[in-house]
Amino acid sequence: MTPSRSWAIAAIRTIEADFNRSADTHLIPLDLPAFPGIDVYLKDESSHPTGSLKHRLARSLFLYALANGWLHARSTVIEASSGSTAISEAYFARLLGLPFIAVMPATVSPDKIAAIEFYGGGCHLVQDPTTIYSESERLARATRGHFMDQFTYAERATDWRANNNIAESIFKQMELEQYPQPAWIVASAGTGGTTATLGRYVRYRRHGTRIACVDPENSVFFDFYAAVANGALPQDVRGHFNLDCGSRIEGIGRPRVEASFLPSVIDTMFKVPDALSIGAMRWLASKLGRRVGGSTGSNLVGVLALAHAMHTAGEQGSIVTLLCDSGDRYGHSYYNDAWLAERGLDVATAQAQIAACAESGAALPRSVQHAPQS
């Protein structure tokens, strides 16, 4: 056996041993008084060692790269990220003794930069968020390293059939609940890998559960999905959908349609105004007694839209969504009133609208766009 093969085998064993030391994440019930008969659960991904849903993705990406022979003992690991994936990848790179560089927009949370550096990683910040891909490729060439490219490989690195992926974990934890097979699972898209895993799993296991995806402002996923659903695709398809700015809800939304985003396994999508995402985040934090991040707020808006529709139709059942990360990383931004005011975000009004829906059954604002699958 060659030294490089021996190193890869030891590296895979190190990552798998780390996984064996970790317990599964919690499934937390959330009471929505306005919707009796509809049970809502939060899959708390903030309890991973690196504090977010992206811990699962980073582990899968490292195992995928190792199994493909892309990493060796002298590799520098490069990743394009808005922060959370980079934190998790820095953790795994340190486990293997590999240098790590995150290429991120300059607007990323300073708390995320600190977390990457805590795990021994370096941060390469760019002013234009659309250049993170080309800069990552350039750095990989310059260091003779490996660009992990989460946006391409997220949907294929995870074993969507089983192996304790997030979908299998949800269904296992729901077995003893009143409605064990969720009517809906709600997730937002960063790479698109999570919705791809969820959508594939429910089809593979023959569940009736439907998948809802939530998109923030300054993202193309919703528009692409709506075009696919309506059959109104341009000739260039994915390449037609591009923005020159990034999402303000860190971790989700993209300026281009990533390869891992699979609209065919998603049953409906919502596009949520940023103020409403942050209002929902703050309302949820008040109910849980701890801070959650902006992407969790976006997910909650999707949950409320579905719960309202189910209640109106006289349906009962369960809805599961993801608590993606802790809000402690966003003290300087989403929990900072001055930061919000500078960006013209009326979060107080949005939070009141969320409370009215969750507690009294009021409809969400019409600014929440909806696109069902055709």
Side-chain angles (χ1 to χ4, degrees):
M1 189 179 298
T2 64
S4 61
R5 180 76 178 276
S6 297
W7 179 87
I9 289 172
I12 290 171
R13 182 171 58 247
T14 297
I15 291 174
E16 296 284 63
D18 178 76
F19 172 68
N20 283 344
R21 294 192 295 268
S22 299
D24 201 356
T25 59
H26 302 294
L27 196 63
I28 303 171
L30 174 67
D31 181 35
L32 297 180
F35 307 117
I38 300 174
D39 297 341
V40 174
Y41 303 84
L42 304 167
K43 180 69 167 162
D44 185 8
E45 296 293 285
S46 71
S47 58
H48 283 294
T50 54
S52 82
L53 167 67
K54 299 301 185 180
H55 193 85
R56 293 180 188 269
L57 172 59
R59 181 173 58 228
S60 295
L61 287 168
F62 266 84
L63 291 173
Y64 190 69
L66 287 163
N68 283 326
W70 295 342
L71 290 178
H72 55 76
R74 294 173 299 282
S75 294
T76 296
V77 180
I78 312 292
E79 184 61 285
S81 173
S82 61
S84 290
T85 302
I87 294 169
S88 299
E89 287 191 16
Y91 171 90
F92 286 106
R94 188 174 74 171
L95 272 183
L96 303 184
L98 300 178
F100 175 79
I101 301 173
V103 180
M104 302 185 295
T107 55
V108 75
S109 160
D111 301 295
K112 290 184 176 179
I113 293 173
I116 293 165
E117 293 174 343
F118 172 80
Y119 290 119
C123 299
H124 181 83
L125 304 181
V126 297
Q127 294 301 319
D128 180 355
T130 66
T131 64
I132 61 172
Y133 316 95
S134 58
E135 274 298 286
S136 296
E137 292 167 351
R138 185 188 66 78
L139 281 175
R141 289 192 299 269
T143 61
R144 296 186 178 182
H146 174 64
F147 173 28
M148 293 292 255
D149 196 2
Q150 60 166 322
F151 298 108
T152 295
Y153 296 110
E155 55 87 14
R156 65 196 73 171
T158 300
D159 185 351
W160 46 268
R161 288 163 293 192
N163 196 26
N164 195 39
N165 66 39
I166 192 168
E168 183 184 43
S169 176
I170 287 170
F171 279 91
K172 181 68 175 176
Q173 290 176 313
M174 287 290 294
E175 285 180 350
L176 299 181
E177 300 301 320
Q178 182 177 7
Y179 305 107
Q181 186 172 123
W184 290 95
I185 299 177
V186 181
S188 39
T191 62
T194 299
T195 53
T197 297
L198 293 167
R200 286 166 164 168
Y201 183 89
V202 297
R203 284 160 175 76
Y204 177 66
R205 292 297 185 187
R206 304 177 300 281
H207 295 308
T209 301
R210 289 170 288 176
I211 306 302
C213 181
V214 181
D215 204 30
E217 292 179 31
N218 300 331
S219 176
V220 297
F221 288 137
F222 178 88
D223 294 334
F224 176 67
Y225 178 87
V228 171
N230 293 329
L233 283 172
Q235 284 187 328
D236 192 17
V237 192
R238 288 176 185 255
H240 177 80
F241 296 87
N242 285 287
L243 297 175
D244 58 3
C245 59
S247 168
R248 287 185 295 196
I249 305 300
E250 289 190 24
I252 62 172
R254 300 301 305 158
R256 72 178 194 184
V257 182
E258 304 296 350
S260 289
F261 181 72
L262 305 182
S264 58
V265 301
I266 297 168
D267 296 286
T268 197
M269 278 198 75
F270 298 95
K271 194 173 186 74
V272 180
D274 291 346
L276 205 62
S277 291
I278 299 170
M281 170 199 78
R282 288 189 162 199
W283 179 86
L284 181 58
S286 72
K287 298 303 173 184
L288 296 180
R290 60 187 175 98
R291 290 178 169 182
V292 300
S295 57
T296 303
S298 300
N299 290 344
L300 179 61
V301 175
V303 168
L304 291 173
L306 293 168
H308 189 277
M310 288 175 65
H311 183 69
T312 301
E315 299 173 1
Q316 296 185 333
S318 60
I319 303 174
V320 178
T321 192
L322 308 182
L323 194 166
C324 303
D325 65 357
S326 168
D328 292 338
R329 294 173 175 174
Y330 308 103
H332 78 291
S333 56
Y334 307 144
Y335 290 95
N336 183 326
D337 291 339
W339 186 93
L340 296 170
E342 287 174 5
R343 287 153 181 81
L345 293 169
D346 182 5
V347 173
T349 297
Q351 186 171 342
Q353 292 169 331
I354 293 296
C357 181
E359 298 167 15
S360 303
L364 289 169
R366 292 184 179 179
S367 55
V368 178
Q369 300 178 58
H370 181 215
Q373 193 179 68
S374 61

